[in-house]
Amino acid sequence: MAATQGRVETALARYLPAADSIPARLHDAMRYSALGGGKRVRPLLAFAAGELTGAPAEKLEVVAGAVEMIHAYSLVHDDLPCMDDDDLRRGRPTCHVEYDEATALLVGDSLQTQAFELLATQALGEPKQQLEMIALLAHASGSRGMAGGQAIDLASVGKPLTQPELELMHALKTGALIRAAVLLGALCGEPLSTEARDNLDRFAKRAGLLFQVVDDILDCTASTATLGKTAGKDEAADKPTYVSLLGLERARSYAEELRSDALASLSCFGERASRLTQLADFICHRQF
Ligand code: GRG
């Protein structure tokens, strides 16, 4: 994990504009927001999925970098006063606190477009396949993916959601980008059979949901210092979560259920899926 995280950090540092290039304040803030922190779960998933299809590391760096730029943009915007209004992220002041709100807005905009520029300008495969990859990330990020999930999230404050409603919100807000990371990683290599792709897709969806259930659990069990972001925010903001819906113990057993289900989807891949298996375990049992 550390080797892949290091590789992704180096690639991101290379892809992002130099901090002293004009407009320097914006570029500095982009680098502040995308570098030097984060678990890099989505890049790790892309690299692990690439092992199923023999994908070259140079292509995986590109898709992992693009996904991580989208993720970093979403965190910067999510932290803004008009959304979650948070001042701590990855153990440091959030982008709008360290810089200012207008810069943070532009950082998100610029990281998002930079992600697509990266995907469009690096050789990833046949043109048709490359367009498919760009469309996949666009769909996962937009109103029928992450941004849509965020809209549902904002509209759900103070409202009790049913489990299917909560599931839909998280499948979009968190799950869509995690799914995209897995599928894009696999698409960097040899084509999978339809059956294998369906199994991988099922894994990706279960892993995305698992990530969110654990995030909900950590929000109410871990400290701000461990998380590097403000703990207990969901309850304070009266947000529906798996813990508020199921209670802590049932949320924990649901996480275990999702983990087993995710791992079962990988059985057809044998040993080649060992990294994805490890990552599902990490996502389930992480402490931050
Ligand atoms: C603003 C369009 C837009 C979307 C925001 C991702 C998101 C949608 C909001 C973040 C709020 C949040 C806590 C979501 C729950 C899951 C999540 C994405 C947690 C943060 O991701 P990690 O734990 O972060 O992978 P690191 O810092 O490790 O990269």
Side-chain angles (χ1 to χ4, degrees):
M1 276 174 69
T4 307
Q5 284 161 333
R7 189 169 187 136
V8 170
E9 184 78 14
T10 309
L12 275 171
R14 199 170 64 242
Y15 299 143
L16 288 165
D20 58 359
S21 63
I22 294 171
R25 185 175 168 81
L26 175 59
H27 289 158
D28 190 54
M30 286 168 74
R31 298 181 77 89
Y32 176 85
S33 304
L35 299 175
K39 296 177 286 297
R40 309 293 190 208
V41 165
R42 295 151 195 81
L44 288 166
L45 284 166
F47 269 79
E51 290 198 5
L52 300 180
T53 60
E58 302 73 43
K59 290 185 183 177
L60 291 168
E61 276 180 3
V62 173
V63 298
V67 169
E68 196 64 5
M69 283 182 202
I70 297 282
H71 172 58
Y73 125 67
S74 78
L75 298 181
V76 170
H77 279 191
D78 183 66
D79 290 333
L80 282 168
C82 62
M83 296 217 188
D84 254 15
D85 192 9
D86 220 321
D87 53 12
L88 190 70
R89 171 71 64 186
R90 296 174 169 171
R92 297 189 298 179
T94 46
C95 183
H96 67 276
V97 170
E98 182 72 13
Y99 295 85
D100 54 77
E101 265 184 64
T103 302
L105 198 67
L106 292 172
V107 162
D109 296 341
S110 306
L111 285 172
Q112 178 169 202
T113 47
Q114 176 95 37
F116 289 106
E117 184 180 331
L118 181 62
L119 276 194
T121 52
Q122 302 293 312
L124 293 173
E126 293 300 314
K128 187 170 175 288
Q129 155 109 342
Q130 189 145 348
L131 284 173
E132 192 189 317
M133 293 166 89
I134 294 168
L136 200 157
L137 186 61
H139 187 87
S141 314
S143 62
R144 286 160 296 165
M146 183 182 72
Q150 179 79 345
I152 300 175
D153 182 304
L154 292 170
S156 306
V157 172
K159 290 187 193 150
L161 295 186
T162 63
Q163 190 159 348
E165 286 169 338
L166 195 62
E167 217 112 308
L168 173 67
M169 175 173 92
H170 291 312
L172 299 176
K173 188 177 99 164
T174 318
L177 195 59
I178 288 181
R179 173 175 178 260
V182 171
L183 297 183
L184 286 172
L187 282 167
C188 286
E190 295 302 315
L192 288 171
S193 68
T194 307
E195 193 195 344
R197 190 174 157 141
D198 288 348
N199 278 322
L200 185 63
D201 198 12
R202 181 171 174 83
F203 166 82
K205 287 178 178 158
R206 298 333 261 168
L209 203 50
L210 171 62
F211 184 92
Q212 185 61 52
V213 175
V214 174
D215 206 74
D216 285 356
I217 294 171
L218 290 174
D219 185 71
C220 66
T221 56
S223 69
T224 296
T226 310
L227 294 178
K229 61 181 181 181
T230 315
K233 279 212 78 169
D234 294 336
E235 197 180 345
D238 199 13
K239 280 195 176 180
T241 67
Y242 283 98
V243 177
S244 67
L245 184 74
L246 303 174
L248 193 53
E249 280 323 302
R250 276 181 57 216
R252 282 195 171 118
S253 30
Y254 187 45
E256 287 298 339
E257 210 179 288
L258 289 168
R259 175 181 154 273
S260 310
D261 202 4
L263 296 187
S265 313
L266 295 177
S267 59
C268 67
F269 296 108
E271 269 305 293
R272 282 180 304 153
S274 63
R275 286 237 191 268
L276 281 178
T277 303
Q278 288 164 4
L279 279 171
D281 289 341
F282 171 72
I283 290 171
C284 188
H285 299 129
R286 67 201 168 98
Q287 303 296 319
F288 58 95

